[in-house]
């Protein structure tokens, strides 16, 4: 609450005290105080704060009518105002406590915010004496009934019974114990009066009942009404009955999420009556609600409604996950729970408040794409589920579901178009929303012509930028692929597949066109860049068989270039994807690829083969191809070889074998196990043995002939 | 088995007896009555329990409103297990006395440590001059 210190000059301030007729306050004084502008501003600020408080804590209509912004502050403003309103300068009742009186000796004209006593003196630091300054301690310690010991926690006579019960097992049952009227009366007689006197002199905080401590001026709205505190307290003590602890100060309903039910499409809409304030039990106690003549009938809003409303548009319409809906409805259906009989305080936090909190937390978790927004949790959960599923299969038949975080279920929102184009108009109509504040102009990117850039480096950079832009598309493809597995709707699936296909084609075509000017070969320029290699590796699984074959042949054909320019040693990243492609090759396709290896290169004497032996990737590729051939041959599947395939095959094998046995080999990425079998079939033992040694020396482990 | 996000998971703990450990080292035991989205807590019939060694003492405190950020941890108290403990309950004076002695002993050792460190020309910054987090 804004201002803590207000300097008032020249005002005659009556002895400050809580007026007994607090509900008759008016804040006319405020309005007429136009001498000090600062005060005016502060007052306005107060009004706003009060309004907020009103919304939060709720005042009854009776009072809100006259005092829209009544506030404990008003006491200060009021007492300083010029206008003579007899009501506003209340005569100090003899026994009404006053927080301001703690400073009454110190002023005229200056008003200091009442000093809130700190509840906790230093403990254990000073001597024994200070130990017992802690009023709570003091009270508990027998035989020290000093008034100083009267802590707010203790004075409450109704709870005095519970101190005694502390050592017993009936901790929870304490309030139910019979009250001690004699104790009460004692307190009432001596303590309270004494304390009040003391507090007037500012030594001890005013007495207040335990529950809400309304004496603290800014703790509750109740306090501002300046109730006849002790009077009521006295009365309360009189009305001591076992059930009293539960009701009179039944706490205010701070948040009533009633308004939220109006939100479109979203929340459950129970039509609860706005008033579900727990009423005090007995009519006698009704007037004990501080400062109000009647219980609060007004429905109150929660400050959260403003927050909630902000979420309405434009954004996804929040719906609750069906599971959560069930949860909440279950909660609702649990019929208005009778307060658990043994615990009279059990309904302090109402269901509405609980739901409010749940909603608040849920809103923060709304997301159209949880796999994107909450990637780590989703991945984690999927892995746990997968592991459990495995375990289930293996034998652990217990179907234990891992605990899952309940999240809101958000339906897809229609995308909105931030820029509206009216037919026939020149230009675009600017539609600003909170997501796109200004989209009046669509800047057109000027395309520079290609001829200007002959610089290779610049070309590379261009290619790199293309690749990077395409990465987003690739990520979308992978994302859609993942979603495809989880989505159940057939249309959705089809749409996703179309989406994927379209993007994959786009990627393929764009990458294909990235060729350096001097080479006519497709894909090369992107293959020369490491990012491009990894991108192609990720794209390969999505491509059609023809397309992937094409890439394989491109790679094979340009192997020397790739190998020589592979400074980062990024080629191996292509290996797994290419291996997958190779494994699906038919025999004739395989032969065609293999032929490339043995053919001599146009500009040198070497074959790709010789060069490949020196390169990890090249060698691995070769091995993969041979392995596939062997697999095809040794399997019983019918092959459809073209004419001359077998001859080429045998030739190639001989050629390769000869080469491999002669040159020192590097360690391949993967050494297929059926290679030696292959060689055994075609070659003599000696050669095979030589080959074996050669290969082994490269890898460092034995190539087992299966 | 499913749990609610954030503070909403505390909702099922309402009206149950809890032990709350605060950042300043205090231990409060009270019935959790109300929460909000910041995990501010309202504890009812709260008792501050001071532990020194194997002894403990309770100071009844009434209602506590604890600001959420000051809570280190909280947990439900098993009412069945609560009363068969190895710990021995003593009176308040005793426990406060024990605490004071413990505090003094600690301060003394700290002082000696500091002195020793100073003699060697080093300096250890005090925790309150550093950032907590």
């Amino acid at each position: 609450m804004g201002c803590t210190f207000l300097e008032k000059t020249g005002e005659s301030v009556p002895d400050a005290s809580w007026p007994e007729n607090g509900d008759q306050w008016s804040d006319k004084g405020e309005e007429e105080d136009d001498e000090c502008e600062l005060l005016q501003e502060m007052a306005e600020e107060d009004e706003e704060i009060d309004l907020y408080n009103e919304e939060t804590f709720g005042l009854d209509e009776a009072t809100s009518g006259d005092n829209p912004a009544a506030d404990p502050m008003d006491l200060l403003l009021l007492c300083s105002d010029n206008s003579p309103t007899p009501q506003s300068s209340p005569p100090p009742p003899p026994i009404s406590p006053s927080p301001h009186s703690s400073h009454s000796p110190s002023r005229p004209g200056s008003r200091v915010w009442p000093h809130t006593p700190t509840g906790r003196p230093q403990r254990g630091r000073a001597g024994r004496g200070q130990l017992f300054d802690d009023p709570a301690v003091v009270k508990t310690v027998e035989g020290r009934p000093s008034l100083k010991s009267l802590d707010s926690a203790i004075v409450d006579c109704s709870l005095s019974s519970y101190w005694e019960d502390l050592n017993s097992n009936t901790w929870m049952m304490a309030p139910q114990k019979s009250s001690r009227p004699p104790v009460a009366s004692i307190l009432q007689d001596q303590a309270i009066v004494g304390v009040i006197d003391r507090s007037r002199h500012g030594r001890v905080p005013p007495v207040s009942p335990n529950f809400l401590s309304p004496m603290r001026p800014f703790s509750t709205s109740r306090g501002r009404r300046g109730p006849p505190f002790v009077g009521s307290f006295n009365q309360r003590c009189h009305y001591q009955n076992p059930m009293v602890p539960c009701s009179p100060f039944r706490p205010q309903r701070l948040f009533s999420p009633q308004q939220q039910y109006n939100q479109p499409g979203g929340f459950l809409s129970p039509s609860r009556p706005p008033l579900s304030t727990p009423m005090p039990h007995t009519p006698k106690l009704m007037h004990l609600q501080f400062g109000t003549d009647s219980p609060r009938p007004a429905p109150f809003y929660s400050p959260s409604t403003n927050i909630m409303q902000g979420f309405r548009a434009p954004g996804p319409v929040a719906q609750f996950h069906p599971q959560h809906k069930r949860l909440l409805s279950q909660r609702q259906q649990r019929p208005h729970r009778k307060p658990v009989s043994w615990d009279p305080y059990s309904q302090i936090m109402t269901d509405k408040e609980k739901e409010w909190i749940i909603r608040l937390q849920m809103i923060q978790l709304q997301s159209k794409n949880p796999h994107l927004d909450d990637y780590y949790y989703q991945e984690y959960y999927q892995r746990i589920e997968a592991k459990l599923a495995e375990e289930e299969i293996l034998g652990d038949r217990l179907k234990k579901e891992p605990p899952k975080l309940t999240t809101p279920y958000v339906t897809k929102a229609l995308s909105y178009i931030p820029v509206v184009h009216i037919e026939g108009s020149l230009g675009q109509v600017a539609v600003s929303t909170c997501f796109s504040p200004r989209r009046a102009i669509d800047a057109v990117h000027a395309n520079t012509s290609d001829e200007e850039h002959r610089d290779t480096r610049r070309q590379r950079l261009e290619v790199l930028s293309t690749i990077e832009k395409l990465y987003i598309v690739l990520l979308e493809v992978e994302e859609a692929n993942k979603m495809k597995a989880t989505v159940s709707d057939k249309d959705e699936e089809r749409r996703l597949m179309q989406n994927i296909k379209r993007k994959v084609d786009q990627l393929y075509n764009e990458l294909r066109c990235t060729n350096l000017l001097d080479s006519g070969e497709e894909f090369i320029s992107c293959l020369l860049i490491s990012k491009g290699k990894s991108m192609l590796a990720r794209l390969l699984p999505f491509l059609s068989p023809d397309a992937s074959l094409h890439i394989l042949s491109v790679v094979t054909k340009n192997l020397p270039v790739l190998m020589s320019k592979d400074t980062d040693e990024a080629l191996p990243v292509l290996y797994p994807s290419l291996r997958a492609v190779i494994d699906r090759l038919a025999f004739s396709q395989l032969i065609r690829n293999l032929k490339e290896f043995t053919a001599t290169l146009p500009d040198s004497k070497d074959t790709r083969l010789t060069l490949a032996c020196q390169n990890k990737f090249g060698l691995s590729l070769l091995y993969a191809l041979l392995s596939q051939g062997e697999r095809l041959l040794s399997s019983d599947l019918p092959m459809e070889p073209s004419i001359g395939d077998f001859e080429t095959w045998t030739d190639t094998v001989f050629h390769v074998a000869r080469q491999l046995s002669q040159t020192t080999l590097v360690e391949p990425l993967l050494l297929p196990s059926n290679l030696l079998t292959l060689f055994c079939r075609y070659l003599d033992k000696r050669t095979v043995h030589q080959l074996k040694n050669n290969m082994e020396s490269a890898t460092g482990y034995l190539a087992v002939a299966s | 088995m499913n749990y609610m996000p954030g503070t909403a998971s505390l909702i099922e703990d309402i009206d149950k007896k809890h032990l709350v450990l605060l950042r300043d080292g205090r231990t409060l035991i009270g019935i959790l009555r109300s929460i909000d989205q910041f995990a501010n807590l309202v504890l009812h019939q709260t008792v501050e329990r001071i532990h020194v060694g194997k002894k403990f003492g309770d100071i009844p405190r009434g209602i506590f409103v604890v600001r959420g950020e000051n809570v280190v941890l909280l947990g439900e108290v098993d009412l069945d297990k609560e009363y068969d403990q190895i710990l021995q309950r003593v009176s308040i004076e005793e426990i406060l006395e024990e605490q004071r002695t413990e505090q003094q002993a600690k301060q003394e050792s700290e002082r000696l440590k500091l002195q020793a460190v100073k003699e060697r020309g080093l300096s250890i910054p005090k925790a309150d001059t550093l950032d907590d987090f």
Side-chain angles (χ1 to χ4, degrees):
Chain A
M1 296 253 215
C3 40
T4 49
F5 292 97
L6 288 178
E7 286 285 326
K8 308 271 193 306
T9 51
E11 317 287 1
S12 66
V13 192
D15 251 338
S17 54
W18 289 106
E20 283 198 299
N21 43 2
D23 51 17
Q24 288 166 25
W25 282 6
S26 71
D27 52 349
K28 297 196 204 98
E30 247 176 273
E31 296 147 22
E32 292 171 57
D33 188 6
D34 42 16
E35 286 187 296
C36 186
E37 278 178 24
L38 182 62
L39 285 173
Q40 193 74 15
E41 278 175 39
M42 285 174 151
E44 283 166 15
E45 195 185 281
D46 287 349
E47 280 180 31
E48 284 174 33
I49 297 170
D50 291 339
L51 211 54
Y52 172 85
N53 275 338
E54 220 179 279
E55 286 181 10
T56 314
F57 300 120
L59 297 175
D60 58 280
E61 280 144 9
T63 49
S64 64
D66 351 334
N67 308 318
D71 194 291
M73 297 286 202
D74 292 355
L75 244 193
L76 308 173
L77 294 166
L78 247 126
C79 295
S80 68
D81 79 67
N82 295 325
S83 68
T85 39
Q87 304 138 314
S88 54
S89 56
I95 53 168
S96 52
S98 126
H100 304 289
S101 68
S102 51
H103 300 277
S104 48
S106 59
R107 39 129 215 121
S110 79
R111 186 67 59 110
V112 170
W113 195 247
H115 170 62
T116 317
T118 52
R120 294 204 57 80
Q122 303 295 319
R123 236 206 328 199
R125 298 275 181 91
R128 233 198 133 102
Q130 210 165 354
L131 262 182
F132 292 104
D133 271 358
D134 189 350
V137 176
V138 176
K139 176 59 181 164
T140 339
V141 169
E142 295 302 313
R144 272 172 235 259
S146 69
L147 284 169
K148 235 174 158 194
S149 72
L150 288 174
D151 190 357
S152 58
I154 301 160
V155 174
D156 183 8
C157 41
S158 71
L159 285 187
S160 57
S161 58
Y162 117 62
W163 302 151
E164 277 95 291
D165 292 326
L166 214 50
N167 288 331
S168 72
N169 272 9
T170 55
W171 208 77
M172 299 285 263
M173 311 276 259
Q176 282 234 326
K177 289 287 181 176
S178 58
S179 59
R180 317 279 161 102
V183 178
S185 54
I186 288 172
L187 281 173
Q188 177 193 337
D189 294 342
Q190 300 172 351
I192 295 175
V193 175
V195 165
I196 300 327
D197 287 335
R198 291 270 164 112
S199 72
R200 244 221 236 136
H201 301 299
R203 276 208 270 147
V204 157
V207 169
S208 65
N210 188 21
F211 300 92
L212 291 176
S213 207
M215 286 309 285
R216 310 277 142 127
F218 41 86
S219 59
T220 69
S221 59
R222 312 286 206 152
R224 48 173 114 148
R225 297 280 115 215
F229 245 95
V230 181
S232 70
F233 194 75
N234 283 340
Q235 288 162 327
R236 198 172 143 274
C237 293
H238 282 309
Y239 294 142
Q240 243 357 271
N241 67 54
M243 285 310 281
V244 138
C246 63
S247 57
F249 312 115
R250 189 53 80 91
Q252 311 151 356
R253 307 248 328 284
L254 296 185
F255 305 108
S256 167
Q258 169 213 342
Q259 295 286 39
Q260 306 157 20
Y261 294 117
N262 298 331
Q263 220 180 4
F267 302 115
L268 319 171
S269 51
S271 48
R272 288 201 193 162
L275 171 62
S276 46
T277 320
M279 299 294 214
H281 285 339
T282 64
K284 283 188 218 160
L285 298 172
M286 271 168 73
H287 68 273
L288 295 179
Q289 290 183 347
F290 296 116
T292 61
D293 288 332
S294 59
R296 290 169 279 131
F300 14 98
Y301 326 177
S302 71
S304 63
T305 51
N306 300 328
I307 310 170
M308 299 296 198
Q309 278 157 16
F311 279 105
R312 269 193 230 178
V317 172
Q319 263 190 19
F320 283 111
H321 194 269
Q323 197 177 20
H324 183 229
K325 236 187 206 166
R326 217 190 320 133
L327 243 164
L328 275 182
S329 60
Q330 266 171 20
R331 235 186 240 272
Q332 253 197 315
Q333 276 156 23
R334 238 178 299 175
H336 167 65
R337 245 203 295 197
K338 297 188 309 175
V340 191
S341 57
W342 49 267
D343 189 2
Y345 298 96
S346 57
Q347 296 295 306
I348 285 180
M349 192 172 184
T350 65
D351 282 340
K352 272 196 200 163
E353 287 159 9
K354 293 178 188 171
E355 280 170 23
W356 183 76
I357 291 186
I358 293 176
R359 284 205 184 88
L360 201 60
Q361 303 285 0
M362 284 298 184
I363 278 189
Q364 294 168 353
L365 295 181
Q366 276 176 6
S367 151
K368 274 189 282 189
N369 189 356
H371 207 80
L372 192 69
D373 293 332
D374 196 13
Y375 172 74
Y376 292 102
Y377 176 76
Q378 301 292 333
E379 270 301 309
Y380 166 74
Y381 192 73
Q382 274 177 12
R383 286 188 197 184
I384 288 194
E385 273 191 321
K387 215 194 296 182
L388 278 180
E390 257 179 51
E391 277 173 23
E392 235 185 277
I393 293 169
L394 286 174
D396 187 9
R397 284 281 154 182
L398 292 163
K399 178 91 166 55
K400 8 174 209 172
E401 249 188 54
K404 182 169 192 170
L405 182 67
T406 323
T407 38
Y409 176 71
V410 171
T411 54
K412 278 233 186 107
L414 303 161
S415 64
Y416 65 100
I417 310 157
V419 176
V420 174
H421 181 80
I422 301 175
E423 292 299 317
S425 69
L426 306 167
Q428 297 159 337
V429 176
V431 173
S432 0
T433 65
C434 65
F435 290 110
S436 62
R438 264 203 272 184
R439 289 271 297 264
I441 305 166
D442 253 343
V444 178
H445 186 71
N447 244 337
T448 54
S449 53
D450 296 338
E451 282 79 37
E452 292 173 10
H453 307 292
R454 290 255 159 202
D455 199 10
T456 325
R457 209 147 137 262
R458 215 178 258 161
Q459 278 178 328
R460 266 182 78 95
L461 285 175
E462 273 182 15
V463 174
L464 189 59
S465 95
T466 320
I467 291 173
E468 278 166 4
K469 287 199 194 93
L470 289 174
Y471 245 104
I472 298 177
V473 184
L474 179 66
L475 285 171
E476 286 169 7
V477 168
E478 286 178 345
E479 186 76 35
N481 197 37
K482 242 188 263 187
M483 286 236 290
K484 196 162 61 89
T486 58
V487 94
S488 51
D489 183 19
K490 280 295 168 202
D491 285 330
E492 184 76 27
E493 200 176 334
R494 212 178 342 115
R495 212 167 353 115
L496 275 173
M497 289 204 60
Q498 284 172 357
N499 202 12
I500 292 175
K501 185 161 186 323
R502 190 170 37 89
K503 291 202 175 115
V504 165
D505 288 339
Q506 178 195 356
L507 283 165
Y508 187 71
N509 291 323
E510 294 233 16
L511 287 175
R512 167 190 260 184
C513 301
T514 61
N515 46 350
L516 300 167
L517 283 172
D518 35 5
S519 81
E521 196 62 59
E522 301 168 332
F523 290 111
I524 287 306
S525 38
C526 90
L527 275 174
L528 286 174
I529 300 172
S530 316
K531 258 195 182 164
K533 290 185 189 105
S534 48
M535 176 164 212
L536 264 181
R538 282 165 77 164
L539 180 61
L540 266 170
F542 293 102
L543 289 174
S544 64
D546 289 335
S548 41
L549 190 60
H550 183 59
I551 292 192
L552 177 64
S553 53
V554 163
V555 168
T556 326
K557 255 187 237 151
N558 297 285
L559 208 52
V561 178
L562 289 174
M563 290 194 296
S564 62
K565 290 212 175 152
D566 184 26
T567 44
D568 292 337
E569 294 206 28
L571 267 177
V573 81
L574 280 167
Y575 181 74
S577 321
L578 286 177
R579 182 77 203 266
V581 175
I582 289 171
D583 288 346
R584 293 194 294 264
L585 282 181
F587 197 64
S588 24
Q589 296 163 332
L590 183 71
I591 295 298
R592 252 177 288 144
N593 263 306
L594 266 181
K595 239 160 71 166
E596 297 289 335
F597 268 95
T598 50
T600 49
L601 294 168
D603 41 352
S604 79
K605 273 192 293 159
D606 295 321
T607 55
R608 291 184 182 82
L609 185 57
T610 42
L611 296 169
C613 293
Q614 305 308 314
N615 185 286
K616 242 186 182 171
F617 174 72
L619 195 60
S620 320
L621 202 62
L622 179 65
Y623 284 171
L625 287 166
L626 290 172
S627 166
Q628 172 69 358
E630 169 63 19
R631 204 171 330 125
L632 284 174
L633 284 171
S634 55
S635 75
D636 293 326
L637 295 169
M639 301 196 297
E640 291 130 31
S642 335
I643 302 165
D645 271 350
F646 279 119
E647 288 84 19
T648 325
W649 169 250
T650 336
D651 279 340
T652 318
V653 173
F654 274 125
H655 204 143
V656 168
R658 209 179 334 134
Q659 187 67 50
L660 288 179
S661 50
Q662 285 167 3
T663 51
T664 45
L665 304 169
V666 297
E667 185 180 344
L669 292 165
L670 185 66
L671 186 65
S673 51
N674 52 4
L675 275 184
L676 277 180
T677 332
L678 166 68
F679 290 128
C680 284
R681 207 131 40 103
Y682 290 92
L683 305 165
D684 55 294
K685 239 196 167 68
R686 196 173 59 90
T687 330
V688 172
H689 198 75
Q690 210 175 358
L691 251 179
K692 185 161 175 269
N693 284 338
N694 217 358
M695 278 157 60
E696 276 170 20
S697 63
T699 61
Y701 54 85
L702 303 171
V704 179
S706 51
Chain B
M1 264 290 256
N2 292 349
Y3 55 98
M4 303 292 278
T7 334
S9 59
L10 277 179
I11 288 179
E12 54 199 68
D13 285 344
I14 284 185
D15 294 337
K16 297 185 184 152
K17 190 166 171 189
H18 275 73
L19 184 144
V20 181
L21 185 64
L22 302 179
R23 265 173 41 188
D24 63 359
R26 280 187 268 179
T27 309
L28 303 176
I29 299 181
I31 309 176
L32 184 64
R33 289 295 181 195
S34 186
I35 56 168
D36 70 356
Q37 70 268 34
F38 307 112
N40 295 336
L41 316 168
V42 172
L43 294 170
H44 185 219
Q45 293 174 354
T46 319
V47 147
E48 183 182 335
R49 187 161 285 185
I50 305 174
H51 289 269
V52 179
K54 282 227 155 72
K55 305 186 188 160
F56 72 92
D58 286 344
I59 305 174
R61 288 286 186 193
I63 295 185
F64 258 87
V65 174
V66 183
R67 191 178 164 93
E69 63 170 339
N70 295 304
V71 174
V72 170
L73 52 87
L74 69 128
E76 192 182 336
V77 172
D78 187 338
L79 293 170
D80 302 324
K81 292 189 186 160
E82 190 183 11
Y83 289 99
D84 42 38
Q85 287 171 354
I86 320 165
L87 306 172
Q88 172 206 9
R89 168 183 255 137
V90 297
S91 70
I92 294 221
E93 299 125 306
E94 198 179 328
I95 199 73
L96 287 171
E97 184 61 36
E98 295 257 356
Q99 194 186 45
R100 200 176 54 81
T101 352
E102 187 190 45
Q103 198 89 314
Q104 272 180 346
K106 213 197 285 188
Q107 277 181 353
E108 184 61 31
S109 72
E110 270 297 315
R111 194 183 61 78
L112 290 172
K113 224 198 296 182
L114 203 63
Q115 198 176 7
V117 155
K118 219 181 349 181
E119 279 169 12
R120 287 157 179 77
L122 306 166
S123 77
I124 298 176
K126 295 211 296 187
D128 50 347
T129 57
L130 299 171
D131 289 327
D132 278 351
F133 31 76

